[in-house]
Amino acid sequence: MGKKRKLGQQAEVAEAATPEEVSAPQRPKRTLLGWKDGAVGPVQENSSSGAAGARGGVPVFRNKEKVLITCSRRIMSRYRHLMLNVVSLLPHCKKDNKVESKSSKGATLNELVELRNCSYCMFFECRKQKDLYLWMAKCPNGPSVKFLVNAVHTMEELKLTGNHLKGSRPILTFTTNFNKDPHWMLLKEMITQIFETPKDHRKSKPFHDHVFAFAIVDDHIWFRNYQIVNQGGIEETTLVEVGPRFCLNPIKIFGGSFGGPTLYENPFYISPNQIRALEKKKKAGKYATKVKAKTRRKMHELENPLEPDEFADLWRE
């Protein structure tokens, strides 16, 4: 063991030490604008590449966007499993508690997004324990989109053979229909910013082993998730579906976050309540035709009575 210094020697060492050596290094300022710390200023000679945050004096962009995923209360188990599947596919998302589905949900969600330091929000809203609506919003200034979710199939239901690494970065593919109309172009940009995993994210893996496919068929957006299977060369690369599956029917596009001026409204949208009402009317129409047929039969019997049978009492005693 080393010898202990005397009290006088310790005082001399403390006086010889400079204030820079004694004080801890100053922490860089926290930035929320997407730029690395100290990126704008000149590169220091003794600083590391991570602390300097610039390459040759050029600012380096760091994507800090995160997505908040939550749902409404009294949601069905099937829709909750779909939300959990989406959470497992997006390593840059944050899951929060359930939110009450009322008129003030926009202010509540904007506050939650700000508290969780996110920039986008996906809100799964279930109504009447039957219908599922999906909100995609850029918080806090918008825009936001409201979808009706149809044809829901979770990973537990499908039991497909595909599999990919959890947290790997996906490749997003879109059909050419997204470039035709302005509202489809806006939806494409929002989907890209939400579903694309930021580069060098701490929870992501530096691999591309699956594909997110978005296709427009009959004015609906169909989502599929495929695994990239490379059995040898590039020519032998195949796609195996992983799941989940769902279909998005756009209802409205708003200028603000969860509200605001309407930028686009789907003219072909029919609410599920109207569809159920039409089905009830159709069933009620069948019953009404049966009642009318019975009434006509009775009226016909009254107008055309049968003649009395002369042999009816022949075998009676």
Side-chain angles (χ1 to χ4, degrees):
M1 297 178 63
K3 296 181 179 180
K4 294 184 178 180
R5 292 182 179 179
K6 295 182 180 180
L7 184 60
Q9 294 179 357
Q10 293 179 0
E12 292 177 359
V13 172
E15 292 177 358
T18 58
E20 296 179 358
E21 296 177 357
V22 176
S23 62
Q26 187 178 4
R27 295 181 61 184
K29 294 182 180 180
R30 184 181 178 184
T31 59
L32 298 176
L33 301 178
W35 301 94
K36 284 190 175 181
D37 301 330
V40 181
V43 182
Q44 300 178 3
E45 295 180 359
N46 298 331
S47 61
S48 60
S49 60
R55 300 174 182 175
V58 180
V60 179
F61 179 74
R62 176 187 290 174
N63 190 351
K64 295 185 178 181
E65 291 188 353
K66 293 179 284 294
V67 182
L68 178 68
I69 298 180
T70 182
C71 63
S72 62
R73 297 188 181 277
R74 294 175 295 275
I75 190 173
M76 293 178 59
S77 60
R78 186 180 185 186
Y79 297 152
R80 182 170 53 86
H81 291 163
L82 175 66
M83 183 192 68
L84 295 177
N85 293 154
V86 175
V87 170
S88 64
L89 293 177
L90 304 179
H92 61 288
C93 73
K94 291 185 178 181
K95 183 179 176 297
D96 209 312
N97 297 329
K98 297 179 180 180
V99 179
E100 190 66 34
S101 178
K102 291 184 178 180
S103 59
S104 61
K105 65 177 180 294
T108 305
L109 289 171
N110 288 329
E111 186 177 358
L112 283 176
V113 169
E114 185 178 359
L115 291 175
R116 299 302 296 272
N117 194 17
C118 299
S119 55
Y120 277 91
C121 180
M122 294 179 66
F123 178 59
F124 291 84
E125 183 180 8
C126 184
R127 294 183 180 178
K128 298 184 178 181
Q129 296 185 349
K130 296 179 181 179
D131 309 324
L132 179 64
Y133 297 90
L134 174 60
W135 286 84
M136 293 184 185
K138 171 73 174 177
C139 299
N141 300 322
S144 58
V145 189
K146 184 179 181 181
F147 297 97
L148 175 66
V149 185
N150 296 320
V152 175
H153 298 282
T154 61
M155 290 184 180
E156 292 79 7
E157 294 176 354
L158 295 174
K159 296 181 181 179
L160 298 171
T161 58
N163 189 14
H164 60 79
L165 186 65
K166 185 177 181 180
S168 59
R169 300 183 65 199
I171 299 174
L172 272 65
T173 60
F174 298 89
T175 56
T176 57
N177 303 344
F178 281 94
N179 299 325
K180 289 185 178 181
D181 298 325
H183 62 279
W184 291 122
M185 296 173 66
L186 176 60
L187 293 178
K188 178 182 177 181
E189 183 63 26
M190 291 191 66
I191 291 172
T192 302
Q193 295 186 17
I194 290 176
F195 285 87
E196 187 177 14
T197 304
K199 187 179 180 181
D200 299 331
H201 192 271
R202 61 186 181 89
K203 291 185 179 180
S204 65
K205 308 294 188 304
F207 305 104
H208 295 279
D209 60 348
H210 65 290
V211 179
F212 288 165
F214 296 90
I216 298 177
V217 180
D218 297 333
D219 294 330
H220 291 63
I221 300 176
W222 298 79
F223 172 81
R224 294 291 185 271
N225 181 22
Y226 297 98
Q227 176 195 2
I228 302 175
V229 180
N230 191 356
Q231 300 177 355
I234 300 177
E235 299 178 354
E236 299 180 359
T237 302
T238 58
L239 297 177
V240 180
E241 188 174 356
V242 181
R245 296 177 180 176
F246 56 88
C247 173
L248 301 177
N249 183 13
I251 303 173
K252 284 185 179 181
I253 301 177
F254 300 96
S257 178
F258 299 100
T262 303
L263 303 180
Y264 170 76
E265 185 175 1
N266 189 1
F268 305 104
Y269 171 73
I270 302 176
S271 66
N273 295 330
Q274 294 179 357
I275 294 175
R276 286 191 286 266
L278 292 174
E279 291 179 354
K280 287 184 179 179
K281 287 183 179 180
K282 189 176 181 181
K283 292 180 181 179
K286 291 182 179 179
Y287 177 74
T289 53
K290 289 181 180 179
V291 172
K292 289 180 181 179
K294 289 182 180 179
T295 306
R296 287 196 302 268
R297 181 65 181 175
K298 289 181 180 179
M299 295 297 294
H300 179 75
E301 290 178 356
L302 293 175
E303 293 176 357
N304 303 296
L306 295 176
E307 297 180 357
D309 189 5
E310 56 182 1
F311 301 101
D313 300 331
L314 181 62
W315 304 106
R316 289 183 182 180
E317 297 180 357

